[in-house]
Amino acid sequence: MKHFILKELKIHALLFVLFISACSSPKHIKGAVVSAREEASAIGVAVMAKGGNAFDAMIASDLALTVCYPNAGNIAGGGFLVYRTAAGEKGSLDFREKAPLAAYADMYLDQEGNVIPDKSLVGGLAIGVPGTVAGLYEIHKKFGTIPWNELVQPAIKLAREGYLVTEKQQKSLDGKKEDFIAINGKETFYAQGFKEGDWVKNEALALTLEFIAKNGKSGFYSGPVADALVERVQATGGIITHEDLLSYAPVWREPVHFKYKDLSIYTMAPPSSGGICLGQIMKMIEPYDVGQYKHNSMEAIQVIVEAERRSYADRSLYLGDPDFVNIPQDSLLDMDYLNQRMDSFSFEKATKSTDISPGTIVWDESEETTHYSIVDPMGNAVAVTTTLNGSYGSKVFVEQGGYFLNNEMDDFSSKPGVPNMFGLIGGKANAIAPQKRMLSAMTPTIVERDGKLSMVLGTPGGSTIITSVMQTLLNVFEFDMDIQTAVSTPRFHHQWLPDIVVFEPALFSQTLIDSLKNKGYDVKEQYSRIIGRVDAISISENNTITTGADPRGDDAAIHLYK
Ligand code: DON
């Protein structure tokens, strides 16, 4: 009996503690980092705990992802930052990779003009000139409050002391082991067969990071780190030179800004297609008031898919690197144009993608993936998506440096009309040229409501990035979900070509799928796959911070309590 009472008391005490923390914890959250790995989130939060801001935390978390999330975290890739300072200033930094100086439009074509499979995907020629370290250093110069060297130390420690291999990570490494060996030889670091529960100690990367800690940007773009990089790229058939590395510079860009109902949305401008496409899709959806339909109901899916179809068609023709081509951004986001694009939509029957071409825009100039979100106690917010493109990029590993090199060159259009690894089609606007940036879909996004910070989000997922960000926004603002539910709930995707609606596996009812098929939508269940891994932070009207880490990955939200 005594034992029973004690047990009861313990249960009550436990319930009481849980009740108190459930009631009170969100109000005490002063800052948060949500990223693909718990270690990286914790490192960013530790930086904020010692007084650093969201930009300081960004640098530390980003470098930690390079260590413990080698499939996407990187020092030899690129990405985009969208930020909002505590004072309400918005901006973005483009640290996207560039085509090497020796690149040219037909570099992936054979003598008959056909695309040579894998040439833009695997090996040295697939590698774009990396932008990440230059980007992080630029952010540090503008916003940093903690010395650079200090911000790099946690990643060095993680590389030296090791990170824990998760179940998902083991699967990912096992799946690519043959590729690692094919490119780098049997002795390559990541072909050791790391298993779940193993600790990966990467001393070579620790030394590279030490050099970057001491020398800042030039620690990567010149000196022994650069020598090893250039040597490895050229040994695997690539064309990047020291001159390419030395001439790399990130670019501050005006974010794309659009309104959706009472929301003000700031997101990435070209060379990402993310911002323009997100804006187009949401503005095409807005008049339909999708919140009146049930979440993931047939009607809601129809409106969203039809808007996606039309936007991705425009993407294929108009979008590329704004430093090389003129992009009719205002026209593409013009409400009259977008309403006109949706004129041909009917709830009765699917539009066929063959009946949709990119819209006709008249303008007066000539032609021419891991995400993390951070909010700090001061109220600064950063949304960062960064990538090697494919998992482990080009699979080329710099043994001496301990890191993978990107295969971002595949994001260019190798040949008009021929799809890239994400099935995306492009043309002249996204053709390869020396020092040009390849078109991206990355969509780091910040939302304001009534002039106040309301949400920070983004995701990896190639072409599905834009539609995953968009669905997460609608889930919160139209379907009234809390941020974690909005992130976790099933997603679907359409991108004009191929003309297929993709649903996450086993999460949508057969009745719904059959009804869509009856309306003429092509749904190929075999194409079902995980869509996006969204990491988001929501800030309520009374400044309560809540977080959503995507359960599709090992993503984790770490909170700063004060
Ligand atoms: O920039 C882009 O759009 C692609 N390179 C992103 C790749 C990506 O998201 C891969 N992750 N799943």
Side-chain angles (χ1 to χ4, degrees):
M1 182 67 177
K2 198 175 148 203
H3 177 73
F4 176 75
I5 290 172
L6 211 63
K7 197 170 155 197
E8 277 285 279
L9 273 175
K10 269 191 192 157
I11 290 170
H12 279 117
L14 181 69
L15 286 177
F16 182 71
V17 168
L18 286 177
F19 175 75
I20 291 295
S21 57
C23 294
S24 59
S25 63
K27 290 202 178 64
H28 293 301
I29 299 174
K30 296 288 183 228
V33 182
V34 194
S35 83
R37 288 284 300 211
E38 195 175 339
E39 299 90 325
S41 299
I43 282 173
V45 166
V47 166
M48 294 196 287
K50 65 175 188 185
N53 63 22
F55 301 96
D56 297 317
M58 170 193 169
I59 292 161
S61 292
D62 199 287
L63 292 170
L65 285 167
T66 304
V67 178
C68 62
Y69 199 59
N71 54 316
N74 65 80
I75 47 174
F80 301 116
L81 154 76
V82 172
Y83 68 85
R84 181 188 187 278
T85 65
E89 184 203 335
K90 273 77 63 177
S92 73
L93 185 72
D94 164 1
F95 51 99
R96 180 73 161 164
E97 299 93 325
K98 296 177 92 164
L101 283 156
Y104 55 97
D106 295 344
M107 64 189 274
Y108 300 119
L109 305 187
D110 64 17
Q111 289 192 332
E112 277 80 54
N114 299 315
V115 174
I116 305 167
D118 278 356
K119 217 172 172 185
S120 63
L121 281 172
V122 187
L125 208 56
I127 304 166
V129 182
T132 298
V133 177
L136 296 181
Y137 200 68
E138 182 75 14
I139 290 156
H140 172 68
K141 281 195 300 185
K142 187 170 164 97
F143 292 113
T145 65
I146 289 186
W148 171 260
N149 177 46
E150 259 179 63
L151 295 173
V152 190
Q153 292 309 315
I156 297 173
K157 188 165 185 278
L158 191 62
R160 188 153 282 146
E161 293 179 2
Y163 69 88
L164 195 64
V165 176
T166 66
E167 184 192 348
K168 289 188 174 106
Q169 207 160 25
Q170 183 193 324
K171 264 196 206 130
S172 152
L173 287 167
D174 285 349
K176 294 288 183 286
K177 188 171 165 179
E178 293 310 311
D179 295 344
F180 298 157
I181 291 174
I183 299 286
N184 304 295
K186 277 206 307 294
E187 300 302 315
T188 187
F189 183 75
Y190 272 109
Q192 288 181 53
F194 292 114
K195 296 278 169 263
E196 180 187 359
D198 285 350
W199 289 87
V200 178
K201 295 181 185 173
N202 188 344
E203 181 59 25
L205 184 53
L207 292 170
T208 302
L209 290 168
E210 271 178 349
F211 204 76
I212 293 169
K214 261 190 221 117
N215 301 287
K217 178 187 169 188
S218 52
F220 182 82
Y221 292 89
S222 59
V225 173
D227 292 345
L229 187 154
V230 169
E231 192 187 298
R232 188 76 194 114
V233 169
Q234 294 185 358
T236 50
I239 52 178
I240 292 176
T241 60
H242 281 286
E243 195 185 349
D244 280 310
L245 292 179
L246 289 171
S247 60
Y248 184 88
V251 185
W252 295 100
R253 297 194 191 275
E254 202 53 41
V256 165
H257 172 229
F258 66 93
K259 290 239 152 85
Y260 178 86
K261 298 191 173 175
D262 63 341
L263 307 176
S264 214
I265 299 179
Y266 296 87
T267 177
M268 196 61 214
S272 182
S273 60
I276 290 181
C277 290
L278 181 68
Q280 282 198 308
I281 296 168
M282 292 192 77
K283 304 284 305 169
M284 281 190 262
I285 288 170
E286 193 175 9
Y288 292 86
D289 205 8
V290 283
Q292 70 177 298
Y293 305 113
K294 257 185 78 207
H295 173 253
N296 281 351
S297 62
M298 184 168 72
E299 291 82 358
I301 292 174
Q302 279 187 276
V303 175
I304 292 168
V305 163
E306 294 299 347
E308 290 171 348
R309 187 194 308 281
R310 286 154 177 83
S311 176
Y312 276 79
D314 280 354
R315 177 195 198 275
S316 72
L317 183 67
Y318 293 113
L319 303 188
D321 181 347
D323 297 340
F324 284 71
V325 293
N326 290 315
I327 296 173
Q329 183 169 318
D330 293 345
S331 309
L332 286 167
L333 287 166
D334 178 73
M335 208 52 234
D336 289 340
Y337 168 71
L338 293 170
N339 283 336
Q340 202 188 313
R341 289 288 275 163
M342 285 298 269
D343 275 352
S344 55
F345 163 58
S346 147
F347 279 106
E348 297 309 312
K349 204 166 153 271
T351 309
K352 286 283 135 200
S353 286
T354 43
D355 295 333
I356 292 286
S357 338
T360 311
I361 301 268
V362 183
W363 84 101
D364 54 13
E365 286 146 346
S366 60
E367 263 194 274
E368 280 279 320
T369 334
T370 186
H371 176 86
Y372 53 92
S373 297
I374 305 182
V375 171
D376 71 20
M378 288 72 86
N380 300 298
V382 305
V384 183
T385 315
T386 174
T387 184
L388 286 169
N389 193 30
S391 217
Y392 310 94
S394 61
K395 320 294 184 279
V396 177
F397 191 74
V398 183
E399 232 64 57
Q400 204 183 321
Y403 60 91
F404 285 102
L405 293 156
N406 71 80
N407 62 347
E408 220 69 58
M409 289 296 284
D410 189 65
D411 272 347
F412 277 118
S413 172
S414 293
K415 183 181 175 178
V418 175
N420 73 359
M421 71 177 279
F422 299 108
L424 292 166
I425 286 172
K428 232 168 143 182
N430 190 30
I432 305 168
Q435 296 212 300
K436 188 176 175 185
R437 289 175 157 93
M438 50 300 277
L439 185 62
S440 172
M442 294 190 283
T443 316
T445 298
I446 290 185
V447 181
E448 272 182 0
R449 196 176 206 172
D450 301 325
K452 286 174 64 180
L453 180 65
S454 176
M455 206 198 280
V456 186
L457 78 163
T459 179
S463 56
T464 69
I465 290 175
I466 302 162
T467 58
S468 299
V469 167
M470 188 264 314
Q471 286 171 81
T472 310
L473 289 169
L474 295 181
N475 291 345
V476 171
F477 296 110
E478 291 285 6
F479 300 111
D480 296 325
M481 292 180 198
D482 63 80
I483 192 73
Q484 184 59 64
T485 312
V487 163
S488 309
T489 204
R491 292 192 276 265
F492 58 92
H493 171 76
H494 190 275
Q495 60 178 51
W496 179 49
L497 294 173
D499 192 352
I500 294 163
V501 190
V502 181
F503 291 94
E504 288 195 289
L507 294 169
F508 290 79
S509 78
Q510 201 53 48
T511 320
L512 174 77
I513 290 178
D514 290 343
S515 316
L516 283 161
K517 283 182 177 167
N518 285 338
K519 299 259 179 195
Y521 290 93
D522 203 348
V523 179
K524 291 209 171 41
E525 268 103 322
Q526 70 266 34
Y527 289 129
S528 295
R529 60 188 168 107
I530 280 178
I531 298 175
R533 280 183 306 282
V534 178
D535 285 339
I537 303 177
S538 163
I539 303 93
S540 74
E541 272 166 53
N542 63 359
N543 291 328
T544 302
I545 294 175
T546 47
T547 49
D550 205 316
R552 292 163 182 84
D554 291 321
D555 304 47
I558 302 282
H559 302 151
L560 176 69
Y561 298 90
K562 264 198 181 160

